[in-house]
Amino acid sequence: MKREEIRIRDPFILADDETKTYYMYGTTELGKNLEAYDKFSVYVSKDLENFDGPFVVFDGGKQGFWATCDYWAAEVHKYNGKYYLFGSFRSENHNRATQILVADNPKGPFTPLSAEPVTPPEWECLDGTLWVEDGKPYIVFCHEWTQVEDGEICAMQLSDDLSHGVEKPFLLFNASDNKSVDSFDGKAGKHCRITDGPFLFKEDGKLKMIWSSLAGGKYAVLEAESNGIRGKWMHKGSRFTFDGGHAMLFKDFNGKTKISLHHPNSPQNERAIFMDFE
């Protein structure tokens, strides 16, 4: 398949240096709108334009997994020799949550690392990502606007094997801390603001984050920076003018830093795009 033929939201690229292969994960089992079914799949490419797949890496229905819908935003990190999938999941009788799955191979099959999600059971959470600082692993995730109105991005230190949290989550910032974020009247109340898709990286000696929200009437990639995961976060606007987001960064096999995101944000038209991140 060609890149422009693949409908995907939240595209996440794992670039495997040993095999010079790109693995593209994300929200892949999409319905007409934003609903997503009970599988995660991967597409495989050598050049980011021609892809094989999709290959199912986790089938929740076949595994008897607790979540029945909204399999969103899978991302896969290589950590201590294994591959860890951070995914968002939901069922009718369980809050949206991030759970961590594990496999020996980027194409899976992935299995749950623990019986329960790693995010707090009483919270509505999504879009967990991995960050390692001073040798300590953290999950960074969104406490969703549907519950708190002013969306939050939080972090929590994990055990060395990523199976559970070793502390209570702590707040990094609210969506409203970035003054360019739009508010709207949502079902949780008035003046709601969205936090989506955090991704952390180091640049110029700073810890930086890209994340997404509605800004300027569009879905946008916003930026923040800090001295560390527990530091004060300073905010910037978007460097892009189009309607797209839920981004991440990776290095291609020529050593170029690329940004991956979906564009446009309109259901059924979403496609992965990759650009130089400068």
Side-chain angles (χ1 to χ4, degrees):
M1 299 178 71
K2 296 290 186 183
R3 175 189 53 80
E4 62 268 19
E5 296 175 317
I6 301 170
R7 185 187 174 200
I8 188 169
R9 295 180 66 87
D10 325 316
F12 186 96
I13 298 294
L14 174 70
D16 182 59
D17 278 319
E18 290 184 14
T19 62
K20 295 294 186 281
T21 302
Y22 299 104
Y23 296 88
M24 181 170 70
Y25 309 86
T27 306
T28 51
E29 305 291 326
L30 284 155
K32 282 188 175 181
N33 296 304
L34 299 184
E35 70 270 21
Y37 305 120
D38 61 350
K39 296 181 184 67
F40 280 130
S41 295
V42 66
Y43 295 86
V44 180
S45 177
K46 294 291 187 179
D47 60 8
L48 297 174
E49 286 296 331
N50 300 281
F51 287 85
D52 292 327
F55 304 103
V56 175
V57 297
F58 180 66
D59 188 326
K62 284 187 177 179
Q63 291 210 22
F65 190 59
W66 65 266
T68 56
C69 60
D70 290 357
Y71 283 42
W72 287 354
E75 55 180 69
V76 173
H77 301 265
K78 189 174 185 180
Y79 175 78
N80 287 349
K82 290 186 178 290
Y83 297 88
Y84 292 86
L85 187 154
F86 286 57
S88 300
F89 303 93
R90 187 177 71 84
S91 71
E92 292 303 318
N93 58 1
H94 196 296
N95 286 341
R96 195 183 312 281
T98 290
Q99 189 150 345
I100 304 173
L101 317 180
V102 63
D104 294 322
N105 188 291
K107 290 175 71 173
F110 284 86
T111 57
L113 185 59
S114 55
E116 297 294 331
V118 70
T119 49
E122 69 275 15
W123 288 15
E124 291 278 351
C125 301
L126 75 168
D127 296 350
T129 190
L130 177 66
W131 177 248
V132 180
E133 184 169 294
D134 297 328
K136 299 174 182 177
Y138 294 84
I139 182 174
V140 178
F141 65 95
C142 299
H143 191 184
E144 201 172 13
W145 67 269
T146 54
Q147 188 173 52
V148 297
E149 299 188 12
D150 188 5
E152 299 174 350
I153 292 184
C154 299
M156 177 174 61
Q157 187 181 335
L158 298 173
S159 59
D160 288 341
D161 65 359
L162 309 187
S163 64
H164 62 279
V166 298
E167 63 176 345
K168 291 182 178 179
F170 56 94
L171 178 69
L172 302 188
F173 56 83
N174 289 91
S176 63
D177 291 341
N178 188 310
K179 303 309 179 187
S180 65
V181 169
D182 297 340
S183 66
F184 60 95
D185 292 345
K187 64 181 180 182
K190 294 185 177 180
H191 308 302
C192 296
R193 294 174 174 85
I194 291 171
T195 47
D196 275 352
F199 181 85
L200 288 81
F201 60 103
K202 292 296 286 286
E203 185 180 61
D204 302 327
K206 294 279 191 179
L207 176 59
K208 297 189 177 183
M209 182 193 300
I210 49 177
W211 61 286
S212 289
S213 189
L214 298 176
K218 300 174 182 177
Y219 195 50
V221 179
L222 304 171
E223 299 184 40
E225 66 176 45
S226 175
N227 288 323
I229 190 74
R230 298 178 189 272
K232 180 177 175 59
W233 289 84
M234 308 299 291
H235 293 274
K236 300 179 181 180
S238 175
R239 66 179 70 185
F240 306 107
T241 58
F242 51 75
D243 182 32
H246 198 117
M248 58 82 62
L249 304 179
F250 68 97
K251 281 194 181 294
D252 70 13
F253 299 130
N254 296 314
K256 271 274 195 184
T257 299
K258 298 280 191 180
I259 186 169
S260 170
L261 66 154
H262 71 254
H263 163 76
N265 196 46
S266 58
Q268 301 194 51
N269 298 314
E270 309 97 320
R271 300 294 185 269
I273 62 171
F274 314 115
M275 301 175 295
D276 291 345
F277 187 74
E278 299 173 334

